[in-house]
């Protein structure tokens, strides 16, 4: 306990050197300013979270005068509920889920993108799935999530297929449903994870990314805070996002360190799969526009995706389609 306190005090002293080139630093002074943050992941620790665990293992959060506690949810629907209820400080979630939660009245806002493009894909094994038109009249398994149904309808319609696909709710058994030939293909598995796993197992997956099939692009994973706290805790959120950015830059320079930290957090993971998945995901951790900072969220892309959700009657169209996000607390942003 004494050693941990000493480490945190040293972190505060180091926090004055927090800012990298182009970043707005936040002042810190005494040990009393060390703040504890509870971050709820969207799922069990996996390759998508490697940069988070890298930041923790490298001491980036401590140097930002933060004591970050990483928790895993009991189910994927829990993080935003716990966040809205004040049980956790930040949550990792999905852009569609943030928009759905806000439509239901939750006072939450995305403060940065963790994975900056869609991972959700249409996948088939042992078949030559060349285009979405091949899904016409075929059975496609989904996890039963409403916006996945809308994805499937959009994809098939955009392909000009002669008949619709037949959706089957297989829950989260997407890979077993494919391998048992219960369905022709699935929509909902990730190209960077299940797709990589199937390829490593020589299952010869055919993978179609949904943002290349007519579905508007979106941020697959985002960091979410409570709307009424972003102003009063702005300095803390900026320190967190700066530390997270440095963790991801370190991950890019040396993926092995992040993977080792991840494996310590979840000893059930297969190292080879995580290494391959992190490699596949790496570019998606960073904005395609290299002039933008880590965590950048495109307001125009969010607005387009919000309008798509409204057209598909998943949400009501808000008066301000970009109110669900803020880039103010990203490195180099804000005033």
């Amino acid at each position: 306990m004494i050693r941990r306190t000493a480490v945190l005090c040293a972190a505060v002293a180091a926090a004055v050197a927090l800012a990298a080139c182009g970043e707005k630093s936040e002042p810190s002074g005494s040990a009393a300013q060390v703040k504890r943050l509870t971050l709820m992941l969207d799922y069990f620790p996996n390759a998508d979270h490697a940069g988070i665990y890298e930041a923790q293992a490298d001491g980036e959060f401590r140097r930002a005068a933060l004591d970050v506690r990483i928790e895993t949810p009991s189910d994927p629907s829990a993080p935003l509920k716990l966040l809205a209820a004040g049980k956790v400080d930040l949550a990792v979630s999905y852009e569609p889920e943030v928009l759905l939660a806000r439509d239901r009245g939750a006072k939450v806002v995305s403060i940065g993108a963790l994975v900056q493009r869609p991972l959700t894909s249409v996948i088939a094994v042992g078949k030559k799935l060349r285009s979405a038109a091949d899904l016409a009249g075929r059975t496609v398994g989904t996890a039963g999530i409403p916006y996945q149904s809308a994805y499937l309808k959009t994809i098939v319609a955009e392909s000009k297929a002669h008949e619709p696909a037949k959706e089957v709710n297989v829950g989260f058994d997407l890979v077993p449903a494919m391998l048992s030939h219960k369905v022709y293909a699935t929509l909902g598995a990730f190209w960077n994870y299940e797709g990589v796993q199937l390829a490593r197992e020589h299952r010869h997956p055919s993978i179609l990314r949904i943002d290349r099939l007519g579905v508007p692009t979106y941020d697959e994973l985002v960091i979410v805070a409570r709307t009424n706290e972003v102003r009063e805790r702005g300095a803390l959120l900026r320190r967190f996002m700066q530390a997270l950015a440095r963790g991801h830059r370190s991950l890019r320079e040396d993926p092995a360190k992040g993977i080792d930290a991840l494996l310590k957090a979840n000893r059930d993971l297969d190292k080879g799969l995580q290494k391959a998945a992190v490699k596949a995901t790496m570019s998606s951790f960073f904005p395609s526009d290299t002039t933008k900072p880590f965590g950048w969220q495109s307001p125009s892309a969010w607005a387009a995706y919000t309008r798509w959700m409204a057209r598909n009657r998943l949400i009501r169209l808000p008066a301000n389609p970009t109110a669900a996000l803020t880039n103010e607390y990203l490195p180099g942003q804000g005033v």
Side-chain angles (χ1 to χ4, degrees):
M1 181 66 180
I2 295 174
R3 185 175 184 275
R4 180 175 181 83
T5 302
V7 169
L8 290 176
C9 290
V12 177
V16 295
L18 173 65
C21 181
E23 294 181 355
K24 175 183 175 180
S25 63
E26 294 297 338
S28 58
S30 67
Q33 290 179 300
V34 174
K35 299 294 185 181
R36 178 181 293 182
L37 275 180
T38 303
L39 172 67
M40 174 69 72
L41 301 182
D42 59 296
Y43 202 45
F44 64 81
N46 62 71
D48 295 338
H49 311 123
I52 296 174
Y53 284 99
E54 172 76 359
Q56 186 182 56
D58 263 7
E60 296 294 354
F61 292 135
R62 292 196 302 273
R63 280 188 284 276
L66 298 174
D67 178 15
V68 176
R69 307 294 177 91
I70 303 171
E71 298 184 357
T72 55
S74 55
D75 66 79
S77 68
L80 289 183
K81 294 177 182 177
L82 292 172
L83 177 67
K87 303 296 185 182
V88 298
D89 298 298
L90 296 170
V92 177
S93 191
Y94 310 83
E95 181 178 328
E97 293 294 336
V98 172
L99 295 172
L100 287 169
R102 287 175 60 88
D103 189 62
R104 293 191 293 264
K107 305 299 183 182
V108 297
V109 61
S110 176
I111 64 169
L114 182 65
V115 176
Q116 306 203 345
R117 55 190 55 88
L119 302 177
T120 301
S121 305
V122 177
I123 302 179
V125 294
K127 303 175 180 69
K128 296 296 183 182
L129 181 61
R130 295 160 295 186
S131 72
D134 293 336
L135 300 176
R138 304 282 193 174
T139 302
V140 179
T142 72
I145 300 172
Y147 52 82
Q148 290 181 351
S149 300
Y151 289 163
L152 184 57
K153 291 176 183 176
T154 295
I155 288 167
V156 175
E158 288 287 327
S159 74
K160 310 298 183 185
H162 61 278
E163 61 179 308
K166 302 172 183 176
E167 182 183 359
V168 174
N169 180 358
V170 298
F172 290 102
D173 293 328
L174 294 166
V175 171
M178 280 188 280
L179 297 180
S180 65
H181 305 290
K182 181 178 179 180
V183 296
Y184 175 82
T186 62
L187 189 159
F190 286 179
W191 57 260
N192 74 320
Y193 206 84
E194 287 87 352
V196 168
Q197 181 180 22
L198 289 166
R200 285 171 51 82
E201 295 174 354
H202 306 290
R203 299 286 186 169
H204 308 292
S206 296
I207 302 173
L208 303 176
R209 302 188 189 186
I210 63 167
D211 54 322
R212 299 175 182 176
L213 303 175
V215 175
T217 192
Y218 59 91
D219 296 323
E220 189 70 58
L221 290 177
V222 294
I223 306 294
V224 191
R226 285 183 288 277
T227 306
N228 62 351
E229 290 186 355
V230 291
R231 286 294 178 188
E232 63 189 57
R233 306 184 84 188
L236 181 149
L237 297 179
R238 184 172 285 111
R239 297 207 308 265
F240 175 83
M241 291 305 301
Q242 288 176 343
L244 193 59
R246 291 194 297 275
H248 279 80
R249 289 198 293 267
S250 295
L251 180 70
R252 182 165 55 185
E253 293 168 3
D254 186 2
K257 290 172 61 179
I259 293 166
D260 287 344
L262 181 63
L263 294 174
K264 289 180 181 178
N266 187 351
R267 298 187 183 279
D268 293 330
L269 297 176
D270 175 82
K271 184 174 183 178
L273 173 58
Q274 301 310 310
K275 182 178 180 180
V278 167
K279 181 179 179 181
T281 314
M282 190 65 72
S283 64
S284 298
F285 288 132
F286 302 92
S288 54
D289 182 349
T290 57
T291 67
K292 301 300 184 183
F294 172 84
W296 179 258
Q297 303 163 107
S298 167
S300 61
W302 273 71
Y305 185 81
T306 299
R307 289 192 293 268
W308 176 86
M309 290 193 81
R311 285 197 304 273
N312 284 274
R313 300 182 179 180
L314 296 165
I315 61 172
R316 294 160 292 182
L317 183 63
N320 182 359
T322 62
L325 73 133
T326 177
N327 288 316
E328 184 174 351
Y329 306 105
L330 302 183
Q333 305 301 301
V335 294

